[in-house]
Amino acid sequence: MSCLFCNIVSGNIPASTVFESKDVLAFRDIAPQAPVHILVIPKQHITSAHEVHALTPSPLPAIFDAIHHIAEELNLSDAGYRIVTNVGNDGGQTVSHLHFHILGGRSMQWPPG
Ligand code: 5GP
Ligand code: ZN
């Protein structure tokens, strides 16, 4: 299995898990860009957000349930936080398994680089 995040789902590569449900895993980013930097992924291999439109049932409700739960657990909801998903080369995607970054614990800038 060559996908890094599939290897994290299967336990072949360790990760610092913060949330797990039947279909979703969330773990700390190895190179955090904010005081809180979590990656939320479907356990199913989906290449990017560009592929989500074709999927029935949609993986998004379970992913956004996880994001809500994590933001509450880590006390991000009052101050706010950012959700990012990069798509493809120009989008800055480096791991080709759908993932949503949760970034929090500091004020975010706009526009992104
Ligand atoms: P992307 O650049 O595709 O939007 O995000 C990929 C993220 O995965 C990056 O923020 C990167 O730091 C993180 N990452 C890469 N390899 C690993 C790893 O082995 N473990 C964890 N926890 N995060 C990783
Ligand atoms: Zn994968």
Side-chain angles (χ1 to χ4, degrees):
M1 194 192 304
S2 62
C3 172
L4 174 64
F5 288 172
C6 283
N7 274 298
I8 287 177
V9 170
S10 66
N12 291 333
I13 293 176
S16 177
T17 300
V18 298
F19 175 90
E20 182 167 12
S21 65
K22 182 168 69 72
D23 297 319
V24 174
L25 186 67
F27 50 89
R28 295 190 184 278
D29 197 292
I30 204 168
Q33 301 301 311
V36 176
H37 189 172
I38 308 293
L39 300 173
V40 183
I41 71 170
K43 291 182 177 176
Q44 173 192 7
H45 182 87
I46 301 165
T47 303
S48 78
H50 190 66
E51 317 307 324
V52 168
H53 77 110
L55 300 174
T56 306
S58 171
L60 294 182
I63 289 170
F64 279 87
D65 277 355
I67 290 171
H68 179 89
H69 180 88
I70 293 161
E72 291 291 325
E73 284 285 305
L74 300 182
N75 292 315
L76 297 176
S77 48
D78 285 348
Y81 57 96
R82 183 168 290 176
I83 303 165
V84 174
T85 189
N86 298 321
V87 178
N89 286 338
D90 277 2
Q93 186 178 9
T94 60
V95 178
S96 295
H97 180 130
L98 175 64
H99 52 283
F100 291 81
H101 300 254
I102 300 176
L103 296 152
R106 67 168 170 84
S107 182
M108 299 295 149
Q109 306 301 308
W110 193 265

